[in-house]
Amino acid sequence: MPQSELSGCKKRKRGERVFRFKIFGENGYPVEFEGSFKQNIKALLEYGHFDSNTGNGIPSWSFQLEVNRQPPLHIWLFVVEEPIEASLQLHCKHCQYIGWGHHMICNKKYHFVLPSKDTVSSLLNCEGEFNGEISCKDTLNLVQLQGHVMHGVFHSNGFGHLLCINGMEAGSNLAGRQIMEFWDRLCTGLRARKVSLNDDSQKRSMELRLLFGVAYGEPWFGRWGYRFGRGCFGVTQPMYQKAVETIQGMPLCILVHYLGTSNPHIPAIFSRYQILSDRSLVTLGELFRFMLEIKTRLPEGTGCSSDSGKAFETTCRWSPKRIEMATRVIVEALKRAEFRWVSRQEVRDAARAYIGDTGLLDFVLKSLGNHVVGNYLVRRCLNPVTKVLEYCLEDVSNLFPDQNGGGAMMMGNSKVKPRSYKMTRPQLMKDMLNLYRYVLKDQQPAINMGILAALPAAVRIILDCKYLVKECNGDLPWRGVGVGNEPEPKLKLCCTVTLRSSNTTSIDAAVTHSRHGQHGGMINMNKTTSQQLLPFECITLKNDATIDDLKLQAEKNFRELYWGLRSFVVESIANLQDHANGKDTVAGVLEVGRVIVLEGSIDQENGSLSSKEGIYERDPDDRIIDCPCGTKDDDGQRMLSCDICEVWQHTRCVRIPNSQQIPPIFLCNRCENEIIILPSLP
């Protein structure tokens, strides 16, 4: 933020501060993000309008953001700090679904909310003006309400979840892309560790994770770095990748062969976009990608045109009359081939009986590829087996009805003269929706024949991969984190803790994949491993700090972060030399940047912390999940339990549709088989 503008903000009253939406969250606007997530969010909230009306320990802040100056458009960003004492749900279901159930429950959550216009209207005061202040009741309602323009939440350890975004189709003044760019700036600026989301985004009833997966090999959120996080119904990342590659590489000629007879829309759509493309569209992935690329260049209410005649307007040594004659001869030669694919050499040899100039023939053959001549589309592609260019004619006379007011095709006077073609945005969206329905979604009988039999399974796998994760700054928080502007030197150490169990000392095996290779070697610990480590935290100490100082500072940091560690006491350092004692300086026995594993225990006198299972994000319910699909943990999908063994399974995996209610009595296959083989009772 420019210094003059920043000074101006400081001079204004808090309720009058206005920030620019397009750069809010960038480093320096409104604050320099130099520390850890906990430090950065504290610095950001200092520039917000603090709500003095909030009670019950639920503070909130508001920021007024300017989207446009002309016409004027302002929106509100609310940040609600939710302490664990006021939380309606102790455990985070989003952490559990994404696979972070081993994380400890944090003391605080920070909700970032861009409310909808209806929500802001409901918060208006009696004078009809909203100044950014909300009451305690409104604060709770704001977090629980649905339909926000954006709602994201961060745990105080830097892990977060994007809960929803609603763009213009949902009535927002902001496009989905603008909202995501805003959220991404917040995550990057605050130095969040990892952020997850549940990808349910749709565009005109099309699932974007399927549409963009086929076109680009990644979901719509992939442009902001979100990748496969966890699959539902036992789907793994290799399965997801294979499914995407299967649909992307599906040849269009195969689809036309199997589906073209029963559905004439499919070959019409293929030909329509082959005309627009300056290269051959061979696979389904190439076609979807080309259609989406056209859409990005096609504003509302305009058209995209393709003038095939441009290929013949290039300055060359042949007159237009000679080019037209050579074109007519080549098209007639292809007609005699009865719409089958013929090699370039075969077409050239047939045309040489009438045109002796081989240079002219070569020029026209090169220019004709994938262009319309008269009522025919001259298709050209490379044979994948023989690696030879081949040509074929396709009759397109009935594919583009004449629409004088912005139609798709304008016929030339000559039967041979190439003609122009104009694509409108409504036509593009209609074609995309039809292609999505006919090929990807509708389970037609022909779709289960031949090579197409793999399509339905691949589509289902992609749709089952909804949980995405972006690694913003990773598990190691010291990368890029400063230690302040103090003149006194500081030590920076990366620490984590593990709790001593009643029967054995537990050091988690997760230390083996904590990227220690970046720091010169592995941590060597000869102890039983049975518990996962907490996310690493950066501890800053004075240059002359002792081991005892390190323990005290670590206790303070982890107690402030985690609800289950409020009575945590550090007892030892697992990977420290045995001869070191508490009075030794940290600089003398530990190198800067080293990963430190602190062992300790919790005060068992605190009744709420007597069960360690109750302090983790995972559901403390002891229910057993063992589904035929391979799922062992709750993935957020509908489940039911067997009335005998009480093992939970997906309703879909036991062939109970989501539209059908769960039966009052259910027996899994195992229990059902055991009942069958039991001897009859007397």
Side-chain angles (χ1 to χ4, degrees):
M1 186 176 186
Q3 188 64 34
S4 58
E5 185 175 346
L6 188 58
S7 301
C9 282
K10 292 180 179 179
K11 293 178 181 179
R12 300 187 190 119
K13 295 180 180 180
R14 288 194 169 191
E16 297 178 353
R17 291 184 181 179
V18 179
F19 301 95
R20 285 180 287 170
F21 172 81
K22 293 183 179 180
I23 60 174
F24 187 85
E26 291 183 358
N27 196 24
Y29 194 92
V31 67
E32 296 288 343
F33 299 108
E34 296 180 334
S36 63
F37 173 81
K38 182 174 65 174
Q39 296 166 336
N40 289 334
I41 200 166
K42 181 180 179 181
L44 174 66
L45 295 181
E46 291 180 356
Y47 284 83
H49 180 191
F50 180 69
D51 181 6
S52 58
N53 294 330
T54 298
N56 294 341
I58 307 179
S60 67
W61 293 261
S62 61
F63 297 84
Q64 189 176 6
L65 307 178
E66 180 187 69
V67 180
N68 297 321
R69 292 186 178 179
Q70 296 296 332
L73 175 60
H74 293 78
I75 60 175
W76 288 93
L77 168 68
F78 293 97
V79 182
V80 179
E81 181 182 282
E82 178 187 0
I84 191 63
E85 295 84 0
S87 180
L88 298 178
Q89 291 183 341
L90 184 64
H91 302 275
C92 177
K93 63 180 181 180
H94 307 290
C95 283
Q96 187 166 331
Y97 296 161
I98 199 61
W100 299 341
H102 60 281
H103 290 181
M104 276 191 171
I105 298 172
C106 292
N107 284 322
K108 295 178 181 179
K109 297 177 186 176
Y110 295 92
H111 295 265
F112 283 72
V113 178
L114 292 177
S116 63
K117 291 179 287 188
D118 294 338
T119 302
V120 173
S121 298
S122 66
L123 298 176
L124 291 173
N125 59 21
C126 57
E127 286 83 12
E129 296 180 356
F130 181 63
N131 60 3
E133 293 190 1
I134 53 179
S135 66
C136 175
K137 181 179 178 180
D138 291 332
T139 301
L140 292 174
N141 290 337
L142 190 67
V143 172
Q144 299 172 33
L145 283 176
Q146 304 294 321
H148 294 304
V149 174
M150 187 201 80
H151 184 185
V153 60
F154 293 105
H155 299 279
S156 54
N157 62 357
F159 287 82
H161 315 281
L162 178 58
L163 304 185
C164 77
I165 62 169
N166 290 293
M168 291 184 174
E169 287 193 356
S172 169
N173 290 322
L174 301 172
R177 173 185 53 80
Q178 293 175 292
I179 303 170
M180 275 304 301
E181 289 173 352
F182 175 74
W183 170 253
D184 195 56
R185 288 197 302 271
L186 288 176
C187 295
T188 303
L190 293 173
R191 293 194 62 81
R193 297 173 186 262
K194 294 181 182 179
V195 181
S196 76
L197 60 85
N198 183 353
D199 185 4
D200 280 326
S201 56
Q202 294 186 357
K203 183 77 171 181
R204 298 190 182 181
S205 74
M206 294 183 289
E207 301 281 355
L208 292 188
R209 64 183 181 278
L210 176 57
L211 183 63
F212 277 75
V214 174
Y216 297 101
E218 62 182 18
W220 180 75
F221 294 97
R223 68 182 71 181
W224 292 280
Y226 288 86
R227 300 291 182 263
F228 177 93
R230 183 188 180 190
C232 302
F233 303 103
V235 175
T236 62
Q237 187 170 9
M239 293 170 60
Y240 169 77
Q241 193 62 39
K242 185 65 176 178
V244 170
E245 293 172 358
T246 297
I247 303 181
Q248 276 188 319
M250 186 63 62
L252 297 181
C253 58
I254 297 294
L255 293 173
V256 170
H257 175 74
Y258 283 99
L259 305 179
T261 304
S262 60
N263 195 329
H265 293 284
I266 292 178
I269 293 174
F270 292 170
S271 298
R272 194 170 294 148
Y273 293 92
Q274 185 62 79
I275 294 172
L276 272 178
S277 177
D278 57 356
R279 57 185 176 84
S280 295
L281 303 176
V282 179
T283 65
L284 188 62
E286 292 176 353
L287 176 59
F288 269 115
R289 183 165 189 166
F290 179 66
M291 296 173 78
L292 289 173
E293 289 173 352
I294 292 178
K295 180 176 175 293
T296 60
R297 304 193 302 263
L298 201 61
E300 294 284 351
T302 63
C304 176
S305 62
S306 173
D307 189 355
S308 301
K310 291 181 180 178
F312 301 93
E313 294 171 4
T314 306
T315 303
C316 60
R317 65 175 185 265
W318 297 284
S319 65
K321 185 176 181 180
R322 294 192 64 191
I323 291 176
E324 182 177 338
M325 177 61 70
T327 303
R328 186 189 301 274
V329 170
I330 290 174
V331 170
E332 292 298 326
L334 290 173
K335 282 184 183 179
R336 292 193 295 271
E338 299 179 350
F339 301 99
R340 64 179 177 86
W341 287 93
V342 293
S343 68
R344 178 185 180 280
Q345 189 61 42
E346 186 177 348
V347 178
R348 189 173 183 269
D349 292 342
R352 282 198 63 185
Y354 304 93
I355 304 294
D357 191 339
T358 56
L360 173 60
L361 290 177
D362 291 339
F363 171 78
V364 175
L365 282 171
K366 179 180 179 181
S367 303
L368 274 179
N370 302 319
H371 285 82
V372 177
V373 178
N375 293 328
Y376 300 98
L377 168 65
V378 183
R379 299 193 62 186
R380 179 182 66 182
C381 74
L382 185 68
N383 189 304
V385 178
T386 63
K387 306 300 181 183
V388 173
L389 276 176
E390 294 183 344
Y391 289 78
C392 177
L393 277 188
E394 183 175 343
D395 190 347
V396 294
S397 57
N398 297 320
L399 294 184
F400 306 99
D402 187 16
Q403 303 170 8
N404 294 327
M409 186 73 74
M410 292 169 281
M411 299 292 295
N413 295 327
S414 172
K415 291 184 178 181
V416 182
K417 181 181 178 181
R419 59 191 179 183
S420 299
Y421 151 61
K422 183 177 182 181
M423 170 61 64
T424 61
R425 191 182 183 92
Q427 179 68 54
L428 172 66
M429 296 306 300
K430 180 181 178 181
D431 289 342
M432 192 179 298
L433 182 58
N434 287 336
L435 195 62
Y436 179 89
R437 287 175 177 172
Y438 298 146
V439 178
L440 298 180
K441 293 293 289 182
D442 286 352
Q443 305 300 321
Q444 302 174 2
I447 212 79
N448 296 318
M449 299 173 57
I451 192 175
L452 298 186
L455 271 181
V459 168
R460 188 176 68 177
I461 288 174
I462 295 175
L463 291 178
D464 287 341
C465 298
K466 301 191 296 183
Y467 298 119
L468 309 178
V469 172
K470 176 178 180 177
E471 184 170 324
C472 302
N473 293 289
D475 293 327
L476 304 182
W478 64 74
R479 287 179 287 183
V481 176
V483 294
N485 298 320
E486 297 87 350
E488 183 180 355
K490 298 286 185 179
L491 290 176
K492 188 167 56 175
L493 299 172
C494 189
C495 298
T496 186
V497 303
T498 181
L499 300 179
R500 291 185 184 274
S501 61
S502 58
N503 54 1
T504 182
T505 301
S506 58
I507 305 296
D508 192 278
V511 76
T512 62
H513 63 262
S514 61
R515 300 178 178 85
H516 300 312
Q518 301 176 12
H519 308 284
M522 300 279 290
I523 291 181
N524 184 16
M525 292 178 288
N526 299 318
K527 297 190 178 182
T528 305
T529 62
S530 62
Q531 179 190 4
Q532 284 194 314
L533 295 171
L534 291 178
F536 301 101
E537 294 296 331
C538 185
I539 306 296
T540 304
L541 301 170
K542 294 182 179 180
N543 199 34
D544 58 350
T546 64
I547 297 296
D548 287 339
D549 294 333
L550 168 61
K551 292 179 180 180
L552 291 174
Q553 186 63 36
E555 286 178 1
K556 179 177 180 294
N557 280 28
F558 283 98
R559 286 177 178 179
E560 290 177 354
L561 277 178
Y562 297 103
W563 175 69
L565 298 182
R566 290 187 175 184
S567 60
F568 173 68
V569 177
V570 176
E571 298 173 350
S572 63
I573 300 178
N575 53 326
L576 186 63
Q577 303 170 4
D578 294 335
H579 64 270
N581 60 64
K583 300 302 180 182
D584 292 337
T585 61
V586 174
V589 296
L590 294 173
E591 60 269 23
V592 176
R594 183 177 178 181
V595 175
I596 307 300
V597 181
L598 304 167
E599 292 181 309
S601 60
I602 297 173
D603 184 4
Q604 297 297 327
E605 294 182 0
N606 188 335
S608 63
L609 304 180
S610 59
S611 173
K612 289 199 296 182
E613 285 296 321
I615 63 177
Y616 292 95
E617 294 290 6
R618 71 172 69 93
D619 192 342
D621 190 359
D622 291 329
R623 69 177 185 171
I624 300 173
I625 299 175
D626 188 9
C627 189
C629 68
T631 298
K632 304 296 182 183
D633 298 306
D634 190 0
D635 57 2
Q637 305 305 307
R638 193 173 73 150
M639 291 185 173
L640 80 170
S641 65
C642 174
D643 288 294
I644 294 180
C645 66
E646 297 184 348
V647 172
W648 290 77
Q649 301 178 5
H650 292 119
T651 55
R652 193 181 85 176
C653 295
V654 295
R655 299 183 179 180
I656 299 177
N658 288 334
S659 58
Q660 180 179 331
Q661 291 184 351
I662 295 177
I665 298 177
F666 170 74
L667 300 181
C668 66
N669 288 336
R670 183 184 303 170
C671 293
E672 209 171 43
N673 293 333
E674 289 178 355
I675 292 175
I676 293 175
I677 63 176
L678 282 175
S680 302
L681 296 176

